[in-house]
Amino acid sequence: MMNLNSSHANHHSFILTGIPEMPDKNPWMAFPLGFLYALTVLGNGTILAVIKVDQSLHEPMYYFLSILAITDVSLSMSTLPSMLSIFWFNAPEITFDTCITQMFFIHVFGIAESGVLVSMAFDRFVAIRDPLHYASILTHGVIGKIGIAAFTRAICVVFPVPFLIKRLPFCCSNVLSHSYCLHQDIMRLACASTRVNSLYGLIVVILRLGLDALIILLSYLLILKTVLGIASNAEKLKALNTCLSHVCAILLFYVPFIGASMIHRFGKHLSPVVYTLMANIYLLLPPVLNPIVYSMKTKQIRRWIIHIFQRKNRA
């Protein structure tokens, strides 16, 4: 029997944690988590399929939504192997290299999603500020370059992290506090100084939370300024309504991220269950809810979904 509290040296693997202090409850989470992953793939897959087949959705806004859907699915799939391993197969051990690889992809897709949300804010600004030249400014080529830039930035930012982790010695506990691998979680198990890792992690958070959030805020201040200059109240509401889905996506992404970051930094007295819950909400909730928000707010997507259900009922 594996001793999860082992303090012996282990340089080859880590032990992931399902529900802290309640490992016997792990099987109870298997089907809810499986349902969430299935809902993520189904919801985002539906968004991508509808945008592909509906010519009226071949606009910059929906191309950016497609990039967001791909990022959401990729982020979910990054956590899926270890989640299934723990909650479905009761196999919490993960090799060091596999853990580092998972950590890399989780952070890459998380930062990429932040970049995609920034690009969607720019899209809304152009659409409202200069609607006549909207399609000519955000061409297919420009949108592709923005998407590539978001992912390239994420890869470049996260690229040093595996090397910063690999240089650290791990000689005590090998038990991680989550059911997937995160930089800050692995770092705390090191037996040497982690000052460089902490400093780099802080820079990444500032870049992700500070810079991206600042650009989004600035975009919406300019949008608000433009909307207030519109004479018709009906046109004002119409313009603001096109931003509502994006604002919801921003809140779904940043609020759990800020909450998880604050708890990790200032919630030392809280139960480990709270840490796990906030981290899981941050990674699992946005990919599930984003398709629902956009489906509710986009008439064409909603119409296609209703049409699919009506065809199934007739069959």
Side-chain angles (χ1 to χ4, degrees):
M1 179 67 69
M2 186 181 299
N3 182 7
L4 298 184
N5 295 317
S6 173
S7 60
H8 297 294
N10 191 325
H11 300 281
H12 305 291
S13 64
F14 291 111
I15 304 300
L16 298 168
T17 300
I19 303 176
E21 301 172 355
M22 293 184 288
D24 56 309
K25 303 294 183 183
N26 284 347
W28 290 93
M29 290 297 297
F31 286 101
L33 283 172
F35 176 73
L36 286 178
Y37 279 112
L39 201 59
T40 297
V41 174
L42 180 63
N44 288 286
T46 301
I47 293 284
L48 291 169
V50 172
I51 291 173
K52 181 180 179 180
V53 300
D54 194 329
Q55 293 291 328
S56 67
L57 296 178
H58 291 184
E59 297 178 2
M61 173 183 176
Y62 299 106
Y63 289 134
F64 283 118
L65 177 56
S66 297
I67 299 172
L68 180 66
I70 292 169
T71 308
D72 277 338
V73 171
S74 301
L75 182 59
S76 290
M77 292 303 102
S78 299
T79 62
L80 180 62
S82 58
M83 287 280 204
L84 288 180
S85 176
I86 294 171
F87 293 105
W88 282 78
F89 304 111
N90 194 29
E93 188 170 6
I94 184 171
T95 65
F96 182 83
D97 287 335
T98 304
C99 189
I100 295 298
T101 302
Q102 184 187 50
M103 174 201 71
F104 177 80
F105 283 110
I106 288 175
H107 289 302
V108 162
F109 290 122
I111 294 174
E113 180 153 347
S114 183
V116 173
L117 290 173
V118 170
S119 64
M120 293 175 81
F122 176 68
D123 164 78
R124 291 298 82 214
F125 168 68
V126 174
I128 292 172
R129 185 71 177 267
D130 197 0
L132 295 178
H133 299 97
Y134 174 51
S136 61
I137 293 173
L138 291 173
T139 62
H140 290 179
V142 170
I143 294 169
K145 288 175 183 176
I146 291 174
I148 292 170
F151 280 93
T152 302
R153 183 194 72 153
I155 292 169
C156 291
V157 168
V158 181
F159 185 75
V161 175
F163 300 100
L164 291 175
I165 287 292
K166 283 194 170 186
R167 72 184 180 85
L168 296 172
F170 296 92
C171 53
C172 295
S173 174
N174 65 335
V175 181
L176 297 172
S177 58
H178 298 299
S179 45
Y180 39 79
C181 299
L182 298 174
H183 173 238
Q184 62 268 29
D185 203 16
I186 302 172
M187 179 182 69
R188 69 178 181 83
L189 299 180
C191 301
S193 172
T194 58
R195 184 175 298 175
V196 175
N197 294 66
S198 297
L199 180 61
Y200 191 78
L202 180 62
I203 292 170
V204 171
V205 169
I206 291 171
L207 176 68
R208 182 178 177 181
L209 182 59
L211 183 61
D212 286 1
L214 185 63
I215 294 172
I216 292 172
L217 178 61
L218 180 61
S219 297
Y220 272 97
L221 288 175
L222 294 172
I223 288 171
L224 191 58
K225 181 182 176 182
T226 303
V227 170
L228 291 175
I230 299 173
S232 168
N233 287 331
E235 289 298 317
K236 286 180 182 178
L237 289 174
K238 184 179 178 181
L240 289 174
N241 191 51
T242 63
C243 301
L244 189 57
S245 298
H246 181 240
V247 171
C248 290
I250 291 168
L251 293 175
L252 284 172
F253 181 79
Y254 281 107
V255 170
F257 173 67
I258 293 170
S261 299
M262 295 292 285
I263 285 175
H264 268 283
R265 191 162 294 273
F266 303 111
K268 306 298 183 184
H269 61 288
L270 296 174
S271 166
V273 176
V274 178
Y275 287 84
T276 302
L277 180 64
M278 285 303 300
N280 287 342
I281 287 174
Y282 159 61
L283 286 177
L284 298 178
L285 199 63
V288 171
L289 294 184
N290 280 338
I292 296 173
V293 169
Y294 276 94
S295 297
M296 290 175 62
K297 293 300 298 177
T298 307
K299 182 174 65 177
Q300 296 95 323
I301 297 175
R302 191 168 64 246
R303 188 178 65 231
W304 270 94
I305 293 172
I306 293 171
H307 178 65
I308 291 169
F309 276 106
Q310 286 177 341
R311 286 181 61 183
K312 285 184 177 180
N313 289 334
R314 287 171 191 163

